[in-house]
Amino acid sequence: MPTRRALLASAALASLFATSPRSIRAQVATPQALPDLTGVTPLPLKGERLATFEAYVATALAEAGVPGASVAVVQDGEVAFAQGFGVRELGRPAPVTADTLLRIGSVTKSFSSMLTATLVDAGRLTWETPIVALLPDFAVADGELTPRLTVRDAFCACSGLPRRDLEFMLRGADLTPELLIEGMAALPLTAPYGEKYQYSNQMVAAGGFAAAVADGGSPADLSHAYAIALRERVLNPIGMPRTTDVLGEVVAGNDYAVPHGADVWGTLHPMPLFEDDLWLVSVAPSGALWSSATEMARYIQTELSGGIGPDGVRVVSEKNLEHTWQPGIALYASPDSPAAIAAFAQHYGLGWVVGAYGDQRAIWHSGGTLGFTSLATFLPEAELGIVVLTNGTPGAAGPMTYAVTFRLLELLFDQPAAFDAERAPALAAAAQAQADFLAQLGQIDPEAVAPYLGQYANPDLGPVTLALDDGVLRFEAGGMRSDVRPMLNDDGTVAGYVLLDPPLGGFPPSVTLTLEEGADDQPQIVATAPVDRGEADLVYTFDRVETPGTPTP
């Protein structure tokens, strides 16, 4: 794999089952279709099945090398299982329990769509209310499309706005929700409205903030407006007092897991909480919530009961809740994916992925931030749901969350243990890709990189620094830092530079760097990031903003 293209191909392979709907499509074993399970009642999670499931979770956690996990299962309206596994932080004894708070990432999107549904019930807005009617500063690059985009469109992943995460991740220190909304017009539209699945955290954030304004919140303080609306309309009625997007509240409770990120060698390391929090503030409705297995079980109970919380409180109407489950834009399925996987991810709804397990309707969403991974799934007709929360980065914990979910379904629907076998070839290929990747890592040549040391800036991503410290090259952006090593071609020349350490780096590499001279013979850093299938790689050029030197990292 001497070229950057081969490097990115290995990255795509290694992201199998990581976090987003697109990531569960890859080359795996020969598809084996599940039987038609329509109308089949799942077996109870008791006795030998319970013991088998509990042992499986513990084994899967250990094999993945993830520090901790918390799992809840809801069946027939009751919490059938809620248990923690492992530890909150590597090297420390405090255990993860069913009450430990972990970041749920993009599962937050379904909370935002439920919030919107409650406001439709209350007559504060409709699904067809234009976003700009609630957020006057909202706009997209197409001026004619802007007034046509509705609150519903914010959650459909079909607006034409593609994934652009680095724009808010690296600018977390100075980006507010209000600035994010104002800046959306600068993001390119890469597909016609309604024609292509495109996952956009900015669009969902706009939808959640618009709902909060419809509930009477101030458009000048969108963070507070969203937190209050979600608390009063969703979290309190369900009975989720500790679920929050406010880090201070999490820390004050003193029962939370620490985020862990993997380096390029696959080793997980604890990360500072701010690295998983700062960049999420501006897109809180897309992925900022913390919750526990205990409280997420109550959320799944509410979904399965048609909008009635565990304490009998009507949170949202069944009609508008069902509206969020309706299949919308189709998801791509690789022809060589197992039939069970292709069926599981058929369409995107409104903050949910819509599919099936053995023809039983399945509603689910995954979540991944810089140090946490989650998966929430429920089968409405089977009155069955499962939540898996972990404190490992998606590349390490993502496969585990799907494996645990599918093992539960296999046990309760009395199906063979096929999921692990079907994904094994792809996981083995990803491991080989990582080994090949590591074999191509070179050592820093101080003379070669010396002309490129200094501070740089990009208008979309902000400032970055490239520094050399005792022979170690370091890259810093958005308050985060990583060591850098060259990726070598077969002839020993440098193909590019990769980041080694979380949260900026790891395997698969999310960004590759090229050090080059620009048209004016001035040094530049060019960062290339692969994105979703069908989208061209993102290329960002950083121009120097200071004289050459060797800044201290």
Side-chain angles (χ1 to χ4, degrees), residues 210-418:
V213 171
D215 197 34
S218 169
D221 191 356
L222 295 175
S223 286
H224 180 71
Y226 176 75
I228 293 298
L230 189 70
R231 173 65 56 199
E232 294 180 350
R233 294 279 181 180
V234 176
L235 300 179
N236 283 349
I238 292 176
M240 304 177 72
R242 296 176 64 235
T243 299
T244 180
D245 66 355
V246 180
L247 181 59
E249 295 177 3
V250 173
V251 174
N254 201 33
D255 185 3
Y256 60 89
V258 169
H260 292 77
D263 60 27
V264 294
W265 293 275
T267 303
L268 268 71
H269 305 271
M271 299 192 303
L273 283 175
F274 85 91
E275 291 184 349
D276 193 70
D277 182 76
L278 187 62
W279 61 278
L280 284 167
V281 172
S282 63
V283 290
S286 287
L289 281 180
W290 292 75
S291 192
S292 66
T294 298
E295 293 200 354
M296 285 299 296
R298 297 180 67 87
Y299 180 60
I300 296 299
Q301 286 176 299
T302 305
E303 293 279 351
L304 288 171
S305 69
I308 299 175
D311 298 328
V313 175
R314 167 66 71 181
V315 179
V316 59
S317 70
E318 185 171 5
K319 175 184 176 182
N320 278 310
L321 183 65
E322 282 263 4
H323 191 72
T324 68
W325 304 350
Q326 294 306 301
I329 199 77
L331 300 176
Y332 169 79
S334 173
D336 47 15
S337 291
I341 295 299
F344 197 59
Q346 297 178 36
H347 297 86
Y348 201 80
L350 301 182
W352 288 110
V353 181
V354 183
Y357 179 81
D359 296 310
Q360 288 258 11
R361 181 167 55 155
I363 314 294
W364 62 276
H365 211 289
S366 55
T369 59
L370 297 180
F372 295 98
T373 307
S374 63
L375 181 62
T377 306
F378 60 93
L379 281 59
E381 283 70 43
E383 298 185 53
L384 175 67
I386 176 173
V387 174
V388 185
L389 310 178
T390 79
N391 59 343
T393 200
M400 176 207 152
T401 63
Y402 287 98
V404 168
T405 298
F406 272 79
R407 188 68 190 115
L408 176 78
L409 297 177
E410 290 169 346
L411 286 168
L412 300 193
F413 284 100
D414 197 23
Q415 297 301 303

Side-chain angles (χ1 to χ4, degrees), residues 454-455 465-469 474 476 481 546 549-553:
Q455 294 181 355
T465 300
L466 194 65
L468 192 65
D469 179 31
R474 292 197 172 99
E476 183 173 347
R481 182 182 301 170
E546 71 159 15
T550 309
T552 301

Side-chain angles (χ1 to χ4, degrees), residues 35 53 64 83 125 171 343 366 396 425 435 446 489:
F53 178 67
Q83 186 171 319
L125 49 68
R171 296 177 58 210
S366 55
N489 293 311

